[in-house]
Amino acid sequence: MTAFTLTNLRLIDPESGEETRGGLTVEDGVITARHEGSGPGVDCGGLCLAPGIVDIGVKVCEPGERHKESFGSAGQAAAAGGVTTMVTRADTTPTIDNPETLEFVARRAREAAPVRVLPMAALTKDRAGGEMTEIGFLMDAGAVAFSDGDRVIKSTKVLSRALTYARTRGALVVGHVQEPGLSAGACATSGKFASLRGLPSVSPMAERMGLDRDIALLEMTGAAYHVDQITTARALPALERAKKNGLDITAGVSIHHLTLNELDVANYRTFFKVKPPLRHEDDRMAVVEAVASGLIDIICSMHTPQDEESKRLPYEAAASGAVGLQTLLPAAMRLYHSGDLTLPQLFRALSLNPAKRLGLPSGRLSVGAPADLILFDPDAPFIMDRFTLLSKSKNTPFDEARMQGRVRATWVGGKQVYGEAP
């Protein structure tokens, strides 16, 4: 592997929380030096260089629904979006709940994806909430975390036993916090907008109630736990108390809940139907502030491909989810250009914190870290055309939106996997 030096960069360092001018050198897939000012090397023209994004919660539809997304198409979309590590979900067909299926997924990822792929496995068999999976065997096969995705385990006994066993094995559990009775069948957040549109809705308290239950079980079991999405202001005080009490809990939020609100649904635009549903503007701003303060640790794409037949239906009947691997960075730039988050704050949540949560050495620009890097222009304007996305499915809520921020090059382990040499 050849060595190279990049100069004339805006270095976005989420560890120090600073943005500096300089360059860095890569040798054998590792960052070996940082430089101040200008010097010999490839002149990058003042573009930004940041650690590659570690995206927790990506759905790749292999096995079972390869027509929606494959490891090849997802990997290409990830590279084009600056995502150097995809942490994939277990909600496939069949579910990733045994070592054989997990090994198939890992093999397909190695063969087809140009970026790193780390699979999650289901916490219960077939994500049915009844019987715990073989956590130990699945960890041996390569599972980095355990989650039933957006299916809430209703039985507190089953969940408590799973959390207890996960703690003994040092496994991370990823949970979706919603009170299942209140949220069943809902596709909007309760309030004036949902009432005017006649949409089945759910109170933001359903998220708070689900979080309260899981926090109580964490106090009982001592497990390591990551909340996949916190989207409401009502849930934030409970999360803050849990952290102050020393529980091993982190929380994430999708880029869609950070940059969109319920009014974007307008007249039943199903590309905006996600789970949980888009929230009030006050909730969105509260969650943005929680990311800025560090209360919410991680920003993810929650990439969920759906085909045209699944989305071209009445709003209530349409499938939930949006693709996000390629739109994650330009959507995040909305928060930078609005002054809500700095670039180091963004990459703390996009790269450093997810890497730390999973025990990965990436997500950093420090000497000795893997050269998983993205070069991007935060100001480059464009109009999003969903048909230019590299994902097989094109269900993005940002179609025809005016956006800023383009990835110019992506490296994984020092190997360039997207873009032209600067």
Side-chain angles (χ1 to χ4, degrees):
M1 188 175 293
T2 58
F4 60 90
T5 298
L6 305 175
T7 66
N8 191 13
L9 292 163
R10 293 167 60 187
L11 295 170
I12 312 302
D13 191 338
E15 275 192 300
S16 66
E18 297 177 347
E19 176 186 324
T20 58
R21 291 277 181 174
L24 55 74
T25 298
V26 172
E27 297 179 48
D28 296 326
V30 174
I31 299 170
T32 56
R34 289 266 300 267
H35 318 286
E36 293 184 2
S38 60
V42 179
D43 189 331
C44 294
L47 295 175
C48 294
L49 189 79
I53 296 169
V54 179
D55 193 1
I56 295 181
V58 174
K59 180 170 183 177
V60 179
C61 305
E62 287 191 68
E65 295 177 300
R66 197 169 182 272
H67 65 286
K68 293 184 178 181
E69 193 79 286
S70 66
F71 278 104
S73 60
Q76 293 295 333
V83 175
T84 54
T85 301
M86 296 190 298
V87 183
T88 58
R89 308 204 307 253
D91 53 346
T92 51
T93 307
T95 302
I96 302 172
D97 59 4
N98 59 76
E100 293 77 18
T101 307
L102 185 68
E103 287 165 1
F104 164 80
V105 166
R107 184 175 68 254
R108 284 289 301 132
R110 287 193 301 270
E111 293 169 353
V115 301
R116 304 183 195 273
V117 178
L118 303 175
M120 290 193 282
L123 188 60
T124 65
K125 292 186 178 180
D126 200 30
R127 301 193 303 130
E131 183 180 355
M132 183 173 61
T133 56
E134 296 283 358
I135 290 176
F137 290 153
L138 286 161
M139 289 183 73
D140 293 341
V144 296
F146 295 84
S147 175
D148 280 357
D150 59 12
R151 289 188 185 174
V152 177
I153 298 176
K154 296 179 181 179
S155 170
T156 52
K157 181 171 286 188
V158 170
L159 182 55
S160 66
R161 286 174 174 171
L163 289 170
T164 299
Y165 189 73
R167 178 183 56 78
T168 65
R169 293 304 307 259
L172 175 67
V173 174
V174 179
H176 182 74
V177 290
Q178 288 289 316
E179 201 291 314
L182 282 177
S183 58
C187 60
T189 300
S190 59
K192 181 179 179 180
F193 178 82
S195 297
L196 289 174
R197 292 296 183 277
L199 294 173
S201 61
V202 59
S203 167
M205 281 301 295
E207 184 170 282
R208 161 73 182 279
M209 292 166 70
L211 180 61
D212 282 339
R213 182 199 72 158
D214 288 5
I215 287 172
L217 292 174
L218 292 183
E219 289 185 19
M220 186 171 73
T221 62
Y225 190 76
H226 175 71
V227 183
D228 64 352
Q229 295 185 78
I230 293 291
T231 63
T232 66
R234 288 182 180 273
L236 295 173
L239 176 64
E240 186 174 17
R241 286 194 300 272
K243 288 191 169 188
K244 286 182 177 179
N245 289 338
L247 298 183
D248 189 358
I249 185 172
T250 52
V253 61
S254 84
I255 192 63
H256 302 113
H257 288 92
L258 284 174
T259 57
L260 304 169
N261 66 28
E262 61 179 352
L263 300 181
D264 288 301
V265 172
N267 291 319
Y268 311 103
R269 298 168 69 191
T270 59
F271 279 9
F272 290 81
K273 184 180 180 182
V274 293
K275 189 180 288 187
L278 293 175
R279 303 301 193 182
H280 306 310
E281 176 64 8
D282 290 346
D283 285 315
R284 187 189 74 82
M285 286 307 304
V287 172
V288 170
E289 291 170 8
V291 173
S293 70
L295 178 58
I296 290 180
D297 307 88
I298 292 169
I299 299 172
C300 64
S301 70
M302 204 50 64
H303 179 81
T304 306
Q306 301 288 1
D307 55 21
E308 297 285 326
E309 290 77 11
S310 301
K311 281 291 188 180
R312 298 297 186 190
L313 294 169
Y315 195 89
E316 188 177 346
S320 296
V323 293
L325 286 168
Q326 262 179 277
T327 55
L328 176 54
L329 183 75
M333 289 304 100
R334 289 183 169 186
L335 301 169
Y336 164 65
H337 289 295
S338 65
D340 292 310
L341 294 170
T342 65
L343 290 176
Q345 284 176 322
L346 276 169
F347 280 90
R348 179 185 67 193
L350 289 167
S351 304
L352 178 62
N353 284 348
K356 289 170 65 175
R357 192 51 164 146
L358 295 167
L360 306 177
S362 55
R364 302 161 173 84
L365 289 184
S366 53
V367 172
D372 294 357
L373 306 167
I374 56 171
L375 183 72
F376 68 98
D377 182 347
D379 302 315
F382 67 101
I383 296 176
M384 171 58 63
D385 178 357
R386 69 190 185 100
F387 294 106
T388 65
L389 297 177
L390 299 179
S391 294
K392 287 189 177 183
S393 296
K394 313 296 182 184
N395 54 307
T396 174
F398 298 112
D399 187 35
E400 300 183 352
R402 296 181 181 273
M403 307 190 83
Q404 286 179 274
R406 279 196 179 276
V407 175
R408 299 302 186 192
T410 305
W411 291 266
V412 176
K415 178 183 178 182
Q416 190 165 352
V417 295
Y418 175 77
E420 299 179 2

